[in-house]
Amino acid sequence: FTSLVWAPISRPRAAGLPAVGRPPPAPPPGGGAVGGGVRLRSDTGEYEGRVRLAKLPARSLQVHWPEGNVLLAGGVEHREPGSKVPDYNAVVTVEVLA
């Protein structure tokens, strides 16, 4: 895993919006056709991206760091006590963008 991009444009952002990974074959509840725009909403923020297929469990979505941090709860209560690593899980709703 690396968070560095050694190119003028990162591949997930090449389409103009960050990627939102979802498992094949069918869209999750709320929609999200491959290549289409979606808005993810959590209790802490919103994230817009284009849907891409990814090897993920059913009913899961994936966004990249650091853009996806807007969906994560802050504060020490949402971190692993020993390492202080954030809980990188969030419950979101999916809205299909026109």
Side-chain angles (χ1 to χ4, degrees):
F1 156 70
T2 179
S3 60
L4 299 176
V5 177
W6 296 94
I9 297 176
S10 70
R11 289 180 193 223
R13 290 178 99 24
L17 287 174
V20 174
R22 75 154 174 87
V34 174
V38 292
R39 178 179 295 121
L40 308 181
R41 282 197 176 104
S42 73
D43 289 341
T44 62
E46 295 182 359
Y47 177 94
E48 291 185 3
R50 290 210 182 279
V51 176
R52 304 281 186 242
L53 292 181
K55 290 184 177 183
L56 295 168
R59 299 181 54 83
S60 296
L61 298 171
Q62 179 185 59
V63 298
H64 293 278
W65 177 90
E67 295 92 346
N69 284 358
V70 298
L71 299 171
L72 303 176
V76 295
E77 66 276 13
H78 298 286
R79 295 184 176 268
E80 195 281 324
S83 66
K84 309 296 186 226
V85 172
D87 179 1
Y88 286 108
N89 295 291
V91 175
V92 299
T93 58
V94 179
E95 175 188 348
V96 176
L97 300 176

